[in-house]
Amino acid sequence: MPAPPPHSQFGLLRERRFLPFFLTQLLGAFNDNVYKNALVLVITFRAASLSTWSSATLVNVCAALFVLPFFLFSATAGQIADKFEKSRLIRFVKVLEIAIMVVAAIGFAVNSLALLLAALFLMGVHSTLFGPVKYAILPQHLREDELVGGNGLVEMGTFVAILLGTILAGLLVSASTATVSATVIGVAVLGWLASRAIPQAPAADPGLRINWNPLTETWRNIAFTRGNRTVFQSILGVSWFWGYGALLLTQFPTLGKDVLGGGEYVVTLLLAVFSVGVATGALGCERLSGHKVEIGLVPFGSIGLTLFAIDLFFACPSVAAGSNLSVAAYVVTPGAWRVLADLFLLGMFGGFYIVPLYALIQSRSEPHHRSRIIAGNNILNAVFMVAAAIAAVVFIEAGLSIPQIILVAGLVNAAVALYIYRLVPEFLLRFIAWLLIHSVYRLRERGLENVPEEGAAVVVCNHVSFADAVILMGACRRPMRFVMDHRIFRTPILSFVFREGRAIPIASAKEDPAMLERAFDEVAAALSAGELIAIFPEGAITRTGELQPFRPGITRILERNPVPVVPMALSGLWGSAFSRRYQGIARLWPHRLFGRIRLAVGAAVMPAVATPERLQAEVAALRGNQL
């Protein structure tokens, strides 16, 4: 049965299966940030009354304290989330939040740094318990085509909560710490009330025996994450993002105060602009990805995370324009808008980076232990965030300025991105494909639900241009391996894409019989392993725009591996720069740039009737009269 047509992600906000959960996590994130930022502002501007440590050091100690529970207790939290019904567990966590906020209120009342830091640590425990439930419940309540939109809303809500919590924290601290206390307790109560409306989400593994040893269970959780190579590399990518983000966010108070010369509200402005950027990027992912899990956005995001960190270094003034400047006074200083633009774009590209990774982890994780995989992700997140806090303290003590720390982070981000994409070329390949069909062309697709989600199958398509394989790769969510003419396989630039995508070069029996046999053997092995194989049965790119006779290679493939065959048809590419309509120097002109192209996918044909003639007729019908 085909999936329902995709709808706007905002439609989820009208549904009980999503809205109560969304409000619960938004209020929880909001409360986290009201308290954390209020505490950071108190430390930054009133450190002398609380401790002999410097404010910069204390701020990074706070960051480390908040994430330490993720490392200590995530393994246990993942087991609990898999063993128990999730809506009931969320309600318990919300009750715990109320108790923690009472401890924080006492700390503010008696001006005790120890109690305030203890409450911060306990809020880390609260978030540790909520994390595995937060991301594991989404695949239980949402369809797969809703995962990107749902994750986008969750990330948007989180960073809107950061924005509002940051702004409110500054206002509340300026009023009194008693106002901070009343607010965080009230918000915790509202979060508990919202959690009572979350629909039930059955336990994934109710018979699980909880291992209370955090060390052995941590290693076991890490082993779960390594079960799927792409999921594990995605988790490393997510963990790096949170380490990178934590490093940047914890420097913003000192950046605003000492480098830019601003007061408390300027610090709030920096955090707010960054948060709006992340929310914008997170919401934009659904539209850019076409309602599917599009990991091609991840390299796009990582490029922005590096470029705008480097530019932020150059945008920061060498000497502050003043001290304790108001927002109005700061925004008219030279270079202020460039700094704000860099922060917004850093956040936006961070949203492009993180949302597809979370959706990929959820969609490709084994449901039976999804919560423990997410717990493993949280453990690694904590390791990276604690390491980032330690690195920041080391950099500060070594004499690096805040802009220099940001520059180092941006350069390291580029190195980490290249390392991850080298290990898992699928990210980079999807990016190239996504870029092609969202910049050079405008793709319209129908029938993609006919491509099986799992299991072996063969895709057949007409061959119009050198870019056909890249376009199919970008349109279809599931990875596929292409069988292609060895000369096209060696096409400059595109050869990298085909090689890293594990395409299978093939030659005719007359040209190279050994290569032909190797190709058929590799196809058979791939289908036996349950992979998706794509072929162009015409054997060559059309020179007329018309469909050429299908060759009998498909019959030989199906004789060894009788699997379903999915017909596809491309149109709109004939006459483009990648087609063979033009020869010589005329091919260099960018014909049909930004042109609209179409991909139509038909129902699978059973192997018993999948003759070359039948498949050619199916592809011709899908293409119609459009070249």
Side-chain angles (χ1 to χ4, degrees):
M1 182 178 178
H7 55 77
S8 168
Q9 63 203 100
F10 294 104
L12 293 172
L13 295 175
R14 297 192 296 268
E15 301 190 27
R16 185 169 176 260
R17 62 194 173 104
F18 183 78
L19 178 60
F21 163 76
F22 174 77
L23 291 175
T24 301
Q25 70 85 28
L26 185 146
L27 289 167
F30 174 74
N31 222 22
D32 273 353
N33 285 279
V34 170
Y35 178 64
K36 281 193 298 183
N37 285 298
L39 181 56
V40 165
L41 288 171
V42 167
I43 286 172
T44 301
F45 293 95
R46 307 174 194 174
S49 66
L50 293 170
S51 171
T52 57
W53 289 3
S54 71
S55 61
T57 299
L58 271 177
V59 165
N60 284 286
V61 167
C62 286
L65 267 180
F66 184 78
V67 299
L68 186 59
F70 286 90
F71 179 72
L72 297 175
F73 307 122
S74 282
T76 303
Q79 294 177 89
I80 292 171
D82 272 337
K83 181 176 178 62
F84 297 104
E85 193 275 318
K86 294 180 179 61
S87 66
R88 183 179 178 184
L89 185 56
I90 290 173
R91 288 191 289 275
F92 167 78
V93 171
K94 293 293 107 179
V95 171
L96 178 62
E97 181 184 355
I98 296 171
I100 295 168
M101 290 299 94
V102 170
V103 173
I106 296 171
F108 278 127
V110 300
N111 201 37
S112 168
L113 180 62
L115 275 179
L116 292 172
L117 293 180
L120 185 66
F121 178 81
L122 289 172
M123 281 303 289
V125 174
H126 156 271
S127 297
T128 300
L129 292 172
F130 188 61
V133 186
K134 172 181 174 180
Y135 288 108
I137 200 173
L138 284 177
Q140 289 186 263
H141 285 165
L142 302 183
R143 301 192 308 268
E144 187 161 341
D145 65 310
E146 296 173 325
L147 272 181
V148 171
N151 276 281
L153 286 170
V154 168
E155 297 307 315
M156 179 275 294
T158 299
F159 282 91
V160 165
I162 292 173
L163 167 59
L164 297 178
T166 299
I167 294 172
L168 188 61
L171 296 173
L172 294 175
V173 168
S174 297
S176 69
T177 53
T179 312
V180 175
S181 300
T183 300
V184 293
I185 292 173
V187 173
V189 172
L190 288 176
W192 172 73
L193 291 173
S195 72
R196 292 175 61 82
I198 297 175
Q200 286 198 342
D205 188 4
L208 176 68
R209 293 186 62 185
I210 295 179
N211 175 11
W212 296 101
N213 185 326
L215 294 178
T216 58
E217 191 59 29
T218 292
W219 285 116
R220 191 174 177 217
N221 276 225
I222 299 299
F224 279 132
T225 67
R226 296 178 67 90
N228 181 305
R229 188 166 181 264
T230 301
V231 168
F232 180 65
Q233 298 300 333
S234 299
I235 287 172
L236 289 181
V238 166
S239 298
W240 166 250
F241 173 81
W242 286 113
Y244 182 78
L247 182 65
L248 294 183
L249 284 170
T250 51
Q251 309 322 309
F252 285 179
T254 311
L255 175 71
K257 177 175 177 284
D258 296 339
V259 178
L260 304 179
E264 293 180 21
Y265 291 125
V266 170
V267 173
T268 300
L269 175 67
L270 301 182
L271 293 168
V273 168
F274 181 80
S275 301
V276 171
V278 176
T280 302
L283 286 179
C285 283
E286 185 187 51
R287 182 174 180 82
L288 290 174
S289 66
H291 297 273
K292 61 178 182 287
V293 179
E294 180 50 82
I295 60 176
L297 288 176
V298 178
F300 184 52
S302 64
I303 290 170
L305 286 171
T306 287
L307 289 181
F308 295 109
I310 294 172
D311 193 67
L312 180 58
F313 164 77
F314 289 108
C316 288
S318 55
V319 179
S323 63
N324 204 32
L325 295 174
S326 67
V327 170
Y330 170 67
V331 296
V332 296
T333 61
W337 287 102
R338 181 179 172 185
V339 169
L340 295 177
D342 282 334
L343 290 174
F344 175 82
L345 291 168
L346 265 172
M348 186 175 74
F349 279 86
F352 294 154
Y353 178 91
I354 195 69
V355 169
L357 284 177
Y358 270 126
L360 179 70
I361 291 168
Q362 291 163 352
S363 64
R364 296 199 189 179
S365 294
E366 173 60 44
H368 189 66
H369 46 251
R370 182 182 285 129
S371 294
R372 279 167 284 173
I373 289 175
I374 293 169
N377 169 57
N378 290 343
I379 293 167
L380 291 175
N381 289 355
V383 170
F384 277 73
M385 292 171 76
V386 170
I390 293 171
V393 171
V394 170
F395 290 151
I396 290 169
E397 296 300 323
L400 267 69
S401 68
I402 299 301
Q404 287 172 337
I405 292 174
I406 293 171
L407 174 64
V408 169
L411 294 175
V412 173
N413 178 70
V416 170
L418 290 174
Y419 174 72
I420 291 176
Y421 305 144
R422 182 177 177 83
L423 288 179
V424 186
E426 185 183 353
F427 286 101
L428 193 56
L429 299 180
R430 297 288 304 189
F431 171 60
I432 294 170
W434 177 84
L435 201 61
L436 180 67
I437 64 177
H438 286 84
S439 57
V440 179
Y441 297 118
R442 296 290 183 271
L443 178 66
R444 179 177 295 170
E445 57 207 27
R446 63 179 174 87
L448 282 175
E449 66 275 4
N450 290 316
V451 179
E453 292 293 328
E454 56 185 20
V458 176
V459 167
V460 296
C461 187
N462 58 322
H463 209 358
V464 191
S465 75
F466 289 96
D468 293 350
V470 181
I471 291 168
L472 294 185
M473 189 187 304
C476 299
R477 186 187 63 80
R478 185 179 171 191
M480 59 177 73
R481 295 183 64 183
F482 289 87
V483 181
M484 59 178 59
D485 185 282
H486 65 101
R487 288 161 294 195
I488 297 177
F489 181 84
R490 291 194 290 265
T491 302
I493 300 176
L494 290 178
S495 63
F496 165 78
V497 178
F498 301 145
R499 185 177 61 255
E500 294 299 331
R502 298 189 304 140
I504 302 170
I506 194 169
S508 67
K510 185 176 180 180
E511 288 179 291
D512 191 336
M515 179 183 286
L516 178 67
E517 292 305 315
R518 284 198 304 271
F520 278 114
D521 288 343
E522 198 165 347
V523 167
L527 290 173
S528 297
E531 295 187 83
L532 192 62
I533 291 291
I535 67 171
F536 300 104
E538 294 167 274
I541 297 173
T542 178
R543 294 183 179 275
T544 64
E546 297 295 338
L547 200 61
Q548 306 301 305
F550 280 19
R551 296 186 178 182
I554 181 64
T555 302
R556 182 173 174 182
I557 290 173
L558 296 178
E559 284 175 352
R560 293 180 67 174
N561 300 87
V563 298
V565 183
V566 180
M568 294 186 179
L570 282 166
S571 56
L573 282 159
W574 177 245
S576 71
F578 293 109
S579 72
R580 282 181 164 161
R581 180 173 182 177
Y582 301 100
Q583 301 298 319
I585 196 169
R587 292 186 61 185
L588 301 178
W589 183 258
H591 301 281
R592 300 200 60 155
L593 196 63
F594 309 121
R596 189 170 294 281
I597 59 177
R598 290 161 293 278
L599 172 65
V601 184
V605 178
M606 292 299 101
V609 295
T611 62
E613 295 76 18
R614 165 73 182 274
L615 295 173
Q616 183 174 343
E618 293 278 349
V619 172
L622 289 168
R623 190 193 68 166
N625 296 322
Q626 298 174 323
L627 297 181

